[in-house]
Amino acid sequence: GESVGLHLPTLSVQEGDNSIINCAYSNSASDYFIWYKQESGKGPQFIIDIRSNMDKRQGQRVTVLLNKTVKHLSLQIAATQPGDSAVYFCAEIDSWGKLQFGAGTQVVVTP
Amino acid sequence: DSGVTQTPKHLITATGQRVTLRCSPRSGDLSVYWYQQSLDQGLQFLIQYYNGEERAKGNILERFSAQQFPDLHSELNLSSLELGDSALYFCASSVGAGLNYGYTFGSGTRLTVV
């Protein structure tokens, strides 16, 4: 079936550097994507979303890029901080609001 | 605090038993979604309710059932529990039934089946 998946299971990044987390999706009809951050012992927390009519969207220290040609999403975190250590999921949302999540990427920020 | 309340936070029970997980959505939200998060399956959608009615079903086992009550809280019932049912169970809520910016997760219930 259709799936949303992440390329890298673990990303180690030095504090202050930029992080890039990648995600591939297979459903070319998908038109809405969300990035979530999940810290240990907590539920997924909304970070940023993007619709298919956009290529880029920026938030506070985060940027999401969408490449529809190759069905690829990325999340960029600027000046990564220790508090950014978490698992990051990309998700596709259907017309009913149901999320289909990718496998997740563990981001580890080192001093 | 996300505004979505899940109880209990932790639950340990034996195989074959039945448990009920409870979710109170964020004030004003009409939709409730249940997700299961296990180590080998990631976050999997189980079921969605909107204003008391079932709207969508995912990979929910027949041993599992859910309902949403008139006050909009929801319960997920898991019966004939197996070791493989050990997981985190998350509830999320949103205002509407479809694409919605305000999709909020609770902190989850950690179920351990022994």
Side-chain angles (χ1 to χ4, degrees), chain A residues 38 43 94-99, chain B residues 35 37 45 55 90 97-98 103:
Chain A
Q38 186 176 20
D94 67 18
S95 58
W96 285 112
K98 175 169 63 72
L99 290 166
Chain B
Y35 286 83
Q37 186 175 35
F45 168 73
R55 278 301 176 97
F90 287 104
Y103 197 108

Side-chain angles (χ1 to χ4, degrees), chain B residues 39-72:
Chain B
L39 286 176
D40 59 346
Q41 293 291 327
L43 272 158
Q44 298 288 321
F45 168 73
L46 295 178
I47 197 164
Q48 176 202 0
Y49 281 84
Y50 175 73
N51 204 22
E53 294 186 2
E54 182 184 306
R55 278 301 176 97
K57 250 183 178 180
N59 299 322
I60 187 167
L61 300 171
E62 287 190 8
R63 300 183 286 108
F64 296 0
S65 65
Q67 55 184 326
Q68 186 179 29
F69 295 86
D71 67 352
L72 301 177

Side-chain angles (χ1 to χ4, degrees), chain A residues 57-92:
Chain A
R57 191 160 189 227
Q58 287 185 291
Q60 187 177 12
R61 284 201 306 118
V62 294
T63 300
V64 55
L65 300 177
L66 175 61
N67 186 331
K68 295 180 287 294
T69 302
V70 295
K71 291 183 284 187
H72 184 267
L73 275 166
S74 68
L75 177 70
Q76 300 177 3
I77 305 173
T80 311
Q81 302 170 358
D84 295 326
S85 292
V87 177
Y88 290 80
F89 296 94
C90 67
E92 167 193 0

Side-chain angles (χ1 to χ4, degrees), chain B residues 6 28-29 36 51 76 93 113:
Chain B
Q6 289 188 249
D29 286 356
Q36 180 191 55
N51 204 22
L76 179 67
S93 72
V113 182

Side-chain angles (χ1 to χ4, degrees), chain A residues 11 14 18 21-22 28 33-35 43-44 47 54 58 61-62 65 68 82 84 90 93-94 98 105-106 110:
Chain A
L11 176 66
Q14 197 160 10
N18 296 334
I21 307 165
N22 296 302
S28 57
F33 302 90
I34 303 176
W35 279 100
I47 301 174
M54 303 172 70
Q58 287 185 291
R61 284 201 306 118
V62 294
L65 300 177
K68 295 180 287 294
D84 295 326
C90 67
I93 187 165
D94 67 18
K98 175 169 63 72
T105 293
Q106 175 77 55
T110 58

